[in-house]
Amino acid sequence: MSSASRPWYRLRIRTLLLLLVLVVVAWSVYTYWSDYTERHARVSRELMTPTSGTSCRVLFRGDAIGVENSGVRWGEVNGRANYVRGDFVKMNEQWLVIESEQSEKTVERWIPREQVLFIEIEK
C-alpha cells in the first residue's frame, strides 16, 4: 500500500467547485454594490434638480459658443448671447431641457450638459 503523494498544485473537484462558487458570490456582491452606488448617486442628483416649470437661465461654457474665455457674466460675447432663458422641464445625465416662447410658439431646447457652465434659478 503505497500512497502516492499528489503534487501540491493539483486540486480536487470539490475544491474547484468551491472556488467557482466563491468567485460567483464575489462577482454578484460586486455588481450589486456598483449598481447600488450608481443608483444612489443618481437619486442624489435628482433631488438637487429644480422643479419643472421653474424659470431659469442657463449660462454656456465659453468653448461651447466659440469663445476662449467668456467669464461668468450674462450677456453677449462677440455678438452672441452666452445664455438661454426659459422654464426648466427636465434634466438627466446627458441633457438639460428648457422650454421657452419664440415667435408666438413654445420651443423645447435640449442642451447637452457638458456645454452648461451653470444654471441660475429665478424664484
Side-chain angles (χ1 to χ4, degrees):
M1 288 192 51
S2 77
S3 65
S5 65
R6 297 170 58 166
W8 64 271
Y9 55 85
R10 288 189 59 197
L11 298 174
R12 294 182 177 159
I13 296 292
R14 73 172 176 226
T15 307
L16 287 175
L17 288 175
L18 179 64
L19 286 174
L20 181 64
V21 167
L22 286 174
V23 167
V24 168
V25 167
W27 181 257
S28 65
V29 166
Y30 168 75
T31 56
Y32 173 78
W33 182 254
S34 64
D35 288 345
Y36 172 78
T37 55
E38 182 179 318
R39 222 179 3 246
H40 179 68
R42 187 178 312 122
V43 167
S44 297
R45 282 192 303 270
E46 288 172 358
L47 290 175
M48 292 180 57
T49 61
T51 57
S52 183
T54 304
S55 181
C56 65
R57 289 193 295 184
V58 177
L59 183 68
F60 296 112
R61 290 184 10 208
D63 58 343
I65 59 173
V67 178
E68 188 173 315
N69 189 6
S70 67
V72 190
R73 290 174 285 163
W74 308 100
E76 290 189 6
V77 178
N78 294 338
R80 293 180 157 181
N82 65 348
Y83 70 94
V84 173
R85 176 176 287 197
D87 295 333
F88 178 82
V89 177
K90 61 185 169 183
M91 178 170 49
N92 64 17
E93 295 172 359
Q94 299 166 345
W95 297 96
L96 168 68
V97 183
I98 302 293
E99 191 174 79
S100 60
E101 296 288 330
Q102 184 177 16
S103 64
E104 299 181 6
K105 61 181 177 179
T106 304
V107 177
E108 197 172 78
R109 299 173 193 238
W110 288 66
I111 305 166
R113 291 265 312 258
E114 57 270 352
Q115 292 185 1
V116 175
L117 183 60
F118 71 86
I119 303 170
E120 181 180 81
I121 305 298
E122 300 170 359
K123 292 186 177 186

